[in-house]
Amino acid sequence: MKNSEQLYKAISERILILDGAMGTMLQRYKFEEEDYRGERFKNWEHPVKGNNDLLSLTQPQAIEEVHRKYLEAGADILETNTFSGTTIAMADYHMEELVYELNYESAKIARKVCDEFTAQNPDKPRFVAGSIGPTNRTASLSPDVNDPGYRAITFEELRVAYKQQCEALLDGGSDILLVETIFDTLNAKAALFAIDELQDERNIKIPIMVSGTITDASGRTLSGQTAEAFLISVSHLNLLSVGFNCALGADQLTPYLETLAHNSEFYVSAYPNAGLPNAFGKYDETPEDMARQIKEYVEKGLINIIGGCCGTTPDHIKAISDLVAQYPPRKTKEFV
Protein backbone atom coordinates (compact mmCIF):
# COMPACT_ATOMS: atom_id res chain seq x y z
CA MET A 1 0.00 0.00 0.00
CA LYS A 2 1.92 3.00 -1.32
CA ASN A 3 0.54 5.62 1.09
CA SER A 4 0.73 3.53 4.27
CA GLU A 5 4.01 5.07 5.41
CA GLN A 6 2.60 8.59 5.08
CA LEU A 7 -0.57 7.51 6.89
CA TYR A 8 1.22 6.02 9.89
CA LYS A 9 3.53 9.04 10.09
CA ALA A 10 0.58 11.47 10.01
CA ILE A 11 -1.45 9.62 12.65
CA SER A 12 1.54 9.49 15.00
CA GLU A 13 1.95 13.27 14.79
CA ARG A 14 -1.59 14.67 14.98
CA ILE A 15 -5.26 13.90 15.30
CA LEU A 16 -6.53 13.00 11.83
CA ILE A 17 -9.84 14.34 10.56
CA LEU A 18 -12.33 12.00 8.93
CA ASP A 19 -15.03 13.50 6.73
CA GLY A 20 -18.71 13.92 7.63
CA ALA A 21 -21.96 12.48 6.33
CA MET A 22 -22.31 11.77 2.61
CA GLY A 23 -26.07 11.13 2.83
CA THR A 24 -26.75 14.42 4.62
CA MET A 25 -24.98 16.33 1.87
CA LEU A 26 -26.64 14.40 -0.96
CA GLN A 27 -30.07 15.26 0.42
CA ARG A 28 -29.34 18.89 -0.48
CA TYR A 29 -29.33 17.98 -4.17
CA LYS A 30 -32.95 16.77 -3.91
CA PHE A 31 -32.30 14.04 -6.47
CA GLU A 32 -35.41 12.30 -7.80
CA GLU A 33 -35.84 8.88 -9.39
CA GLU A 34 -34.70 10.07 -12.83
CA ASP A 35 -31.55 11.64 -11.32
CA TYR A 36 -30.61 8.38 -9.66
CA ARG A 37 -31.22 6.52 -12.93
CA GLY A 38 -29.32 8.85 -15.24
CA GLU A 39 -29.20 7.96 -18.90
CA ARG A 40 -27.66 4.55 -18.32
CA PHE A 41 -30.39 3.19 -16.04
CA LYS A 42 -33.41 5.07 -17.38
CA ASN A 43 -35.15 1.79 -18.32
CA TRP A 44 -34.20 -0.15 -15.16
CA GLU A 45 -37.16 -2.30 -14.16
CA HIS A 46 -36.99 -1.51 -10.43
CA PRO A 47 -37.05 1.75 -8.42
CA VAL A 48 -33.56 3.01 -7.55
CA LYS A 49 -34.21 6.27 -5.68
CA GLY A 50 -32.36 6.12 -2.38
CA ASN A 51 -29.50 4.01 -3.74
CA ASN A 52 -26.82 6.58 -2.93
CA ASP A 53 -23.99 4.29 -4.02
CA LEU A 54 -25.43 4.33 -7.55
CA LEU A 55 -24.84 8.09 -7.72
CA SER A 56 -21.11 7.38 -8.15
CA LEU A 57 -22.08 6.17 -11.63
CA THR A 58 -24.99 8.46 -12.49
CA GLN A 59 -24.09 11.72 -10.66
CA PRO A 60 -20.32 11.45 -10.12
CA GLN A 61 -19.91 15.23 -10.16
CA ALA A 62 -22.10 15.48 -7.03
CA ILE A 63 -20.04 12.86 -5.20
CA GLU A 64 -16.84 14.64 -6.19
CA GLU A 65 -18.26 17.97 -5.04
CA VAL A 66 -19.17 16.59 -1.59
CA HIS A 67 -15.70 15.06 -1.22
CA ARG A 68 -14.11 18.36 -2.20
CA LYS A 69 -16.11 20.31 0.40
CA TYR A 70 -14.99 17.97 3.17
CA LEU A 71 -11.34 18.27 2.15
CA GLU A 72 -11.68 22.06 2.06
CA ALA A 73 -13.12 21.85 5.59
CA GLY A 74 -9.96 20.11 6.79
CA ALA A 75 -10.58 16.38 6.34
CA ASP A 76 -7.49 14.16 6.10
CA ILE A 77 -9.47 11.01 5.27
CA LEU A 78 -12.33 10.70 2.76
CA GLU A 79 -14.77 7.80 2.92
CA THR A 80 -15.81 6.30 -0.39
CA ASN A 81 -19.49 6.43 -1.34
CA THR A 82 -19.88 2.66 -0.87
CA PHE A 83 -21.72 2.13 2.43
CA SER A 84 -24.13 -0.32 0.76
CA GLY A 85 -21.67 -1.65 -1.80
CA THR A 86 -22.18 -5.40 -1.37
CA THR A 87 -24.25 -7.85 -3.39
CA ILE A 88 -26.29 -8.38 -0.21
CA ALA A 89 -27.35 -4.74 0.10
CA MET A 90 -27.59 -4.13 -3.66
CA ALA A 91 -30.07 -7.00 -3.97
CA ASP A 92 -32.71 -4.49 -2.80
CA TYR A 93 -32.31 -2.76 -6.18
CA HIS A 94 -31.53 -5.92 -8.21
CA MET A 95 -28.11 -4.42 -8.93
CA GLU A 96 -25.82 -7.14 -7.62
CA GLU A 97 -23.86 -7.34 -10.88
CA LEU A 98 -22.81 -3.68 -10.51
CA VAL A 99 -21.03 -4.15 -7.18
CA TYR A 100 -17.45 -4.25 -8.44
CA GLU A 101 -17.97 -1.23 -10.68
CA LEU A 102 -19.73 0.79 -7.96
CA ASN A 103 -16.89 0.28 -5.50
CA TYR A 104 -14.14 0.75 -8.05
CA GLU A 105 -15.57 3.98 -9.45
CA SER A 106 -16.38 5.36 -5.99
CA ALA A 107 -12.80 4.77 -4.86
CA LYS A 108 -11.49 6.38 -8.05
CA ILE A 109 -13.53 9.55 -7.44
CA ALA A 110 -12.25 9.89 -3.87
CA ARG A 111 -8.69 9.07 -4.98
CA LYS A 112 -8.73 11.77 -7.65
CA VAL A 113 -9.82 14.51 -5.26
CA CYS A 114 -7.43 13.40 -2.50
CA ASP A 115 -4.50 13.41 -4.90
CA GLU A 116 -5.39 16.94 -6.05
CA PHE A 117 -5.39 18.26 -2.48
CA THR A 118 -2.21 16.39 -1.54
CA ALA A 119 -0.45 17.87 -4.57
CA GLN A 120 -1.46 21.37 -3.44
CA ASN A 121 -0.19 20.75 0.11
CA PRO A 122 2.20 17.79 0.37
CA ASP A 123 2.63 18.43 4.11
CA LYS A 124 -1.02 17.43 4.61
CA PRO A 125 -1.48 14.20 2.64
CA ARG A 126 -5.09 13.08 2.12
CA PHE A 127 -6.19 9.45 2.30
CA VAL A 128 -9.05 7.34 0.92
CA ALA A 129 -10.93 5.01 3.26
CA GLY A 130 -12.98 2.36 1.49
CA SER A 131 -16.33 2.36 3.30
CA ILE A 132 -17.69 -1.10 4.14
CA GLY A 133 -21.13 -0.95 5.73
CA PRO A 134 -22.81 -3.63 7.84
CA THR A 135 -25.27 -4.87 5.13
CA ASN A 136 -28.99 -5.16 5.87
CA ARG A 137 -28.69 -8.72 7.22
CA THR A 138 -27.26 -9.99 10.46
CA ALA A 139 -25.37 -13.22 11.12
CA SER A 140 -26.04 -13.22 14.88
CA LEU A 141 -29.74 -12.39 15.08
CA SER A 142 -32.88 -13.92 13.66
CA PRO A 143 -35.18 -11.60 11.66
CA ASP A 144 -38.06 -13.92 12.63
CA VAL A 145 -39.25 -13.56 16.24
CA ASN A 146 -41.00 -16.92 15.95
CA ASP A 147 -37.82 -18.71 14.91
CA PRO A 148 -34.87 -17.47 16.97
CA GLY A 149 -32.52 -20.03 15.41
CA TYR A 150 -33.12 -18.80 11.86
CA ARG A 151 -30.47 -16.70 10.08
CA ALA A 152 -31.06 -14.73 6.88
CA ILE A 153 -27.36 -14.87 5.96
CA THR A 154 -24.37 -17.12 6.59
CA PHE A 155 -20.82 -16.18 7.54
CA GLU A 156 -19.58 -17.60 4.24
CA GLU A 157 -22.05 -15.55 2.19
CA LEU A 158 -20.90 -12.43 4.02
CA ARG A 159 -17.22 -13.28 3.50
CA VAL A 160 -17.68 -13.70 -0.25
CA ALA A 161 -19.67 -10.46 -0.56
CA TYR A 162 -17.23 -8.43 1.51
CA LYS A 163 -14.24 -9.81 -0.35
CA GLN A 164 -15.65 -8.70 -3.69
CA GLN A 165 -16.27 -5.22 -2.29
CA CYS A 166 -12.80 -4.97 -0.75
CA GLU A 167 -11.05 -6.06 -3.96
CA ALA A 168 -12.79 -3.31 -5.91
CA LEU A 169 -12.09 -0.68 -3.24
CA LEU A 170 -8.39 -1.54 -3.27
CA ASP A 171 -8.24 -1.67 -7.08
CA GLY A 172 -9.85 1.78 -7.22
CA GLY A 173 -7.17 3.30 -5.01
CA SER A 174 -8.25 3.05 -1.35
CA ASP A 175 -5.49 3.52 1.24
CA ILE A 176 -7.57 2.17 4.13
CA LEU A 177 -10.44 -0.29 4.47
CA LEU A 178 -13.04 0.93 6.96
CA VAL A 179 -15.45 -1.66 8.39
CA GLU A 180 -18.04 0.66 9.91
CA THR A 181 -21.34 1.03 11.75
CA ILE A 182 -20.93 -2.47 13.13
CA PHE A 183 -24.06 -3.57 14.98
CA ASP A 184 -23.30 -7.29 14.63
CA THR A 185 -19.67 -8.19 15.27
CA LEU A 186 -20.06 -11.52 13.47
CA ASN A 187 -20.71 -9.59 10.24
CA ALA A 188 -17.58 -7.56 10.93
CA LYS A 189 -15.57 -10.72 11.52
CA ALA A 190 -16.60 -11.94 8.06
CA ALA A 191 -15.36 -8.66 6.57
CA LEU A 192 -12.11 -8.85 8.52
CA PHE A 193 -11.62 -12.47 7.44
CA ALA A 194 -12.05 -11.42 3.81
CA ILE A 195 -9.59 -8.52 4.24
CA ASP A 196 -7.05 -10.84 5.85
CA GLU A 197 -7.39 -13.21 2.88
CA LEU A 198 -6.65 -10.31 0.54
CA GLN A 199 -3.59 -9.33 2.58
CA ASP A 200 -2.24 -12.84 2.09
CA GLU A 201 -3.20 -13.14 -1.58
CA ARG A 202 -1.78 -9.75 -2.57
CA ASN A 203 1.11 -9.85 -0.11
CA ILE A 204 0.24 -6.41 1.26
CA LYS A 205 -0.52 -4.92 4.65
CA ILE A 206 -3.82 -3.07 4.54
CA PRO A 207 -4.51 -0.35 7.13
CA ILE A 208 -7.84 -1.42 8.64
CA MET A 209 -10.23 0.81 10.58
CA VAL A 210 -13.00 -0.87 12.58
CA SER A 211 -15.91 1.20 13.88
CA GLY A 212 -18.80 -0.20 15.88
CA THR A 213 -22.07 1.42 16.83
CA ILE A 214 -23.59 1.59 20.32
CA THR A 215 -27.29 1.55 19.61
CA ASP A 216 -28.81 2.88 22.84
CA ALA A 217 -28.25 3.91 26.46
CA SER A 218 -27.57 0.30 27.46
CA GLY A 219 -24.07 0.80 26.05
CA ARG A 220 -24.27 -2.26 23.82
CA THR A 221 -24.24 -3.01 20.14
CA LEU A 222 -27.47 -4.33 18.60
CA SER A 223 -26.20 -7.89 18.95
CA GLY A 224 -25.61 -7.33 22.66
CA GLN A 225 -21.90 -6.63 23.10
CA THR A 226 -20.44 -4.09 25.49
CA ALA A 227 -17.70 -1.78 24.25
CA GLU A 228 -15.04 -3.94 25.89
CA ALA A 229 -16.45 -7.17 24.43
CA PHE A 230 -16.57 -5.55 20.99
CA LEU A 231 -12.92 -4.52 21.31
CA ILE A 232 -11.85 -8.03 22.30
CA SER A 233 -13.82 -9.53 19.40
CA VAL A 234 -11.97 -7.54 16.74
CA SER A 235 -8.49 -7.38 18.31
CA HIS A 236 -7.18 -10.54 16.62
CA LEU A 237 -6.06 -8.51 13.61
CA ASN A 238 -3.41 -5.81 13.54
CA LEU A 239 -5.75 -2.86 13.07
CA LEU A 240 -4.96 0.77 12.35
CA SER A 241 -7.81 1.89 14.59
CA VAL A 242 -10.87 0.83 16.52
CA GLY A 243 -13.71 3.14 17.43
CA PHE A 244 -17.38 4.01 17.34
CA ASN A 245 -19.64 5.94 14.99
CA CYS A 246 -23.32 6.69 14.45
CA ALA A 247 -26.39 6.07 16.68
CA LEU A 248 -25.28 8.49 19.42
CA GLY A 249 -24.24 12.11 19.63
CA ALA A 250 -20.78 13.16 20.78
CA ASP A 251 -21.63 13.59 24.46
CA GLN A 252 -23.21 10.12 24.83
CA LEU A 253 -20.20 8.43 23.22
CA THR A 254 -17.57 9.53 25.76
CA PRO A 255 -17.68 6.58 28.22
CA TYR A 256 -17.40 4.03 25.43
CA LEU A 257 -14.41 5.81 23.90
CA GLU A 258 -12.81 5.80 27.35
CA THR A 259 -13.18 2.02 27.44
CA LEU A 260 -11.41 1.69 24.09
CA ALA A 261 -8.73 4.25 24.88
CA HIS A 262 -7.82 2.60 28.17
CA ASN A 263 -7.85 -0.99 26.91
CA SER A 264 -6.47 -0.93 23.36
CA GLU A 265 -3.04 -0.55 21.78
CA PHE A 266 -4.72 0.47 18.50
CA TYR A 267 -5.42 4.06 17.53
CA VAL A 268 -8.95 5.17 18.52
CA SER A 269 -11.49 6.75 16.15
CA ALA A 270 -14.83 8.46 16.72
CA TYR A 271 -17.36 9.95 14.37
CA PRO A 272 -20.61 10.62 16.20
CA ASN A 273 -23.87 11.95 14.84
CA ALA A 274 -24.79 15.60 15.08
CA GLY A 275 -26.76 14.84 18.25
CA LEU A 276 -29.85 12.66 18.25
CA PRO A 277 -32.52 12.98 15.53
CA ASN A 278 -35.56 15.16 16.20
CA ALA A 279 -39.17 14.12 15.64
CA PHE A 280 -38.70 14.58 11.88
CA GLY A 281 -35.51 12.53 11.71
CA LYS A 282 -33.34 15.64 11.28
CA TYR A 283 -30.21 16.50 13.22
CA ASP A 284 -30.16 19.90 14.90
CA GLU A 285 -26.80 20.03 16.62
CA THR A 286 -24.73 22.96 15.42
CA PRO A 287 -21.05 22.70 14.48
CA GLU A 288 -20.19 24.78 17.58
CA ASP A 289 -22.18 22.49 19.91
CA MET A 290 -20.59 19.38 18.46
CA ALA A 291 -17.06 20.79 18.69
CA ARG A 292 -17.70 21.80 22.30
CA GLN A 293 -18.65 18.22 23.17
CA ILE A 294 -15.68 16.76 21.29
CA LYS A 295 -13.40 19.01 23.35
CA GLU A 296 -13.87 16.50 26.17
CA TYR A 297 -12.40 13.75 23.97
CA VAL A 298 -9.22 15.69 23.29
CA GLU A 299 -8.83 17.05 26.80
CA LYS A 300 -8.97 13.47 28.08
CA GLY A 301 -6.63 12.24 25.33
CA LEU A 302 -9.08 9.67 23.98
CA ILE A 303 -8.81 9.91 20.19
CA ASN A 304 -6.51 9.73 17.18
CA ILE A 305 -9.14 10.06 14.41
CA ILE A 306 -12.25 12.22 14.63
CA GLY A 307 -15.05 12.94 12.15
CA GLY A 308 -18.81 13.07 11.83
CA CYS A 309 -21.64 10.67 11.00
CA CYS A 310 -25.36 11.34 10.42
CA GLY A 311 -26.35 14.99 10.19
CA THR A 312 -22.80 16.33 9.95
CA THR A 313 -21.70 18.72 7.21
CA PRO A 314 -18.47 20.42 6.11
CA ASP A 315 -19.23 23.15 8.68
CA HIS A 316 -19.21 20.53 11.46
CA ILE A 317 -15.94 19.06 10.17
CA LYS A 318 -14.33 22.52 9.97
CA ALA A 319 -15.33 23.33 13.57
CA ILE A 320 -13.96 19.98 14.76
CA SER A 321 -10.78 20.36 12.69
CA ASP A 322 -10.10 23.84 14.07
CA LEU A 323 -10.60 22.59 17.62
CA VAL A 324 -8.47 19.44 17.57
CA ALA A 325 -5.55 21.16 15.82
CA GLN A 326 -4.73 22.62 19.24
CA TYR A 327 -4.41 19.20 20.91
CA PRO A 328 -2.00 16.27 20.66
CA PRO A 329 -3.27 12.83 19.57
CA ARG A 330 -3.91 10.08 22.08
CA LYS A 331 -0.75 8.21 22.96
CA THR A 332 -1.07 4.50 22.23
CA LYS A 333 -0.01 2.07 24.89
CA GLU A 334 2.17 -0.94 24.35
CA PHE A 335 0.51 -3.88 26.05
CA VAL A 336 2.60 -6.88 27.09
Side-chain angles (χ1 to χ4, degrees):
M1 304 287 288
K2 68 182 176 84
N3 293 327
S4 288
E5 200 174 308
Q6 281 186 307
L7 173 63
Y8 280 92
K9 182 176 185 293
I11 200 171
S12 69
E13 295 172 346
R14 58 193 170 86
I15 297 171
L16 296 187
I17 308 297
L18 190 67
D19 61 6
M22 174 62 76
T24 298
M25 294 301 289
L26 290 175
Q27 285 172 10
R28 297 181 174 185
Y29 290 85
K30 296 184 166 52
F31 287 138
E32 295 298 336
E33 180 73 28
E34 60 270 24
D35 301 307
Y36 277 87
R37 287 173 177 266
E39 187 62 27
R40 178 174 168 186
F41 300 101
K42 66 179 183 182
N43 296 320
W44 198 257
E45 293 179 0
H46 308 277
V48 296
K49 185 179 177 183
N51 185 357
N52 282 351
D53 294 25
L54 183 63
L55 296 173
S56 293
L57 302 184
T58 57
Q59 302 290 340
Q61 74 293 340
I63 305 302
E64 185 176 321
E65 191 172 46
V66 172
H67 284 329
R68 204 175 287 280
K69 284 177 178 172
Y70 279 124
L71 292 180
E72 287 166 352
D76 298 287
I77 303 170
L78 280 186
E79 285 192 58
T80 56
N81 179 41
T82 54
F83 187 78
S84 300
T86 56
T87 49
I88 297 161
M90 280 296 142
D92 287 355
Y93 303 98
H94 305 270
M95 288 184 155
E96 296 95 323
E97 74 270 19
L98 292 172
V99 161
Y100 184 91
E101 184 184 2
L102 285 170
N103 285 279
Y104 180 79
E105 292 299 330
S106 294
K108 269 183 68 177
I109 294 168
R111 176 82 274 150
K112 173 193 166 193
V113 186
C114 278
D115 288 349
E116 279 178 26
F117 276 73
T118 299
Q120 291 165 17
N121 183 5
D123 293 334
K124 186 179 168 69
R126 312 300 177 104
F127 306 98
V128 177
S131 168
I132 302 160
T135 83
N136 47 8
R137 304 210 179 163
T138 168
S140 292
L141 303 169
S142 172
D144 183 353
V145 293
N146 298 312
D147 187 0
Y150 172 71
R151 297 290 180 270
I153 195 83
T154 67
F155 184 92
E156 178 61 12
E157 287 168 333
L158 286 164
R159 182 196 68 80
V160 169
Y162 281 131
K163 190 171 182 182
Q164 180 188 19
Q165 180 178 28
C166 292
E167 285 178 316
L169 288 170
L170 291 173
D171 292 348
S174 297
D175 302 302
I176 301 162
L177 291 179
L178 168 55
V179 183
E180 64 174 334
T181 321
I182 299 162
F183 56 81
D184 182 351
T185 309
L186 193 55
N187 283 40
K189 279 179 170 288
L192 294 172
F193 191 93
I195 294 168
D196 207 24
E197 280 189 322
L198 285 172
Q199 291 191 121
D200 287 343
E201 289 170 12
R202 299 189 178 200
N203 195 27
I204 55 173
K205 182 179 182 299
I206 302 166
I208 306 165
M209 294 175 65
V210 168
S211 186
T213 187
I214 300 292
T215 48
D216 58 34
S218 72
R220 294 173 181 266
T221 65
L222 188 65
S223 54
Q225 284 190 311
T226 62
E228 194 165 10
F230 167 73
L231 172 63
I232 292 166
S233 295
V234 298
S235 291
H236 57 290
L237 278 184
N238 184 22
L239 305 175
L240 171 68
S241 68
V242 65
F244 289 114
N245 72 291
C246 202
L248 302 177
D251 56 341
Q252 294 103 338
L253 209 53
T254 307
Y256 313 117
L257 292 175
E258 287 177 324
T259 296
L260 298 183
H262 297 155
N263 292 287
S264 176
E265 71 271 31
F266 305 129
Y267 293 112
V268 170
S269 71
Y271 47 116
N273 291 348
L276 296 176
N278 62 26
F280 304 100
K282 303 289 185 187
Y283 294 85
D284 301 323
E285 198 162 86
T286 66
E288 295 72 29
D289 286 342
M290 194 169 179
R292 194 159 43 244
Q293 291 165 16
I294 284 169
K295 191 174 183 182
E296 184 179 7
Y297 300 177
V298 288
E299 286 179 340
K300 290 183 173 180
L302 300 180
I303 55 167
N304 305 94
I305 302 171
I306 184 72
C309 205
C310 303
T312 57
T313 66
D315 290 340
H316 290 83
I317 297 305
K318 183 170 190 329
I320 292 166
S321 176
D322 291 346
L323 167 79
V324 305
Q326 307 162 44
Y327 292 86
R330 166 184 164 270
K331 293 281 179 273
T332 56
K333 298 176 184 176
E334 292 300 325
F335 285 84
V336 179

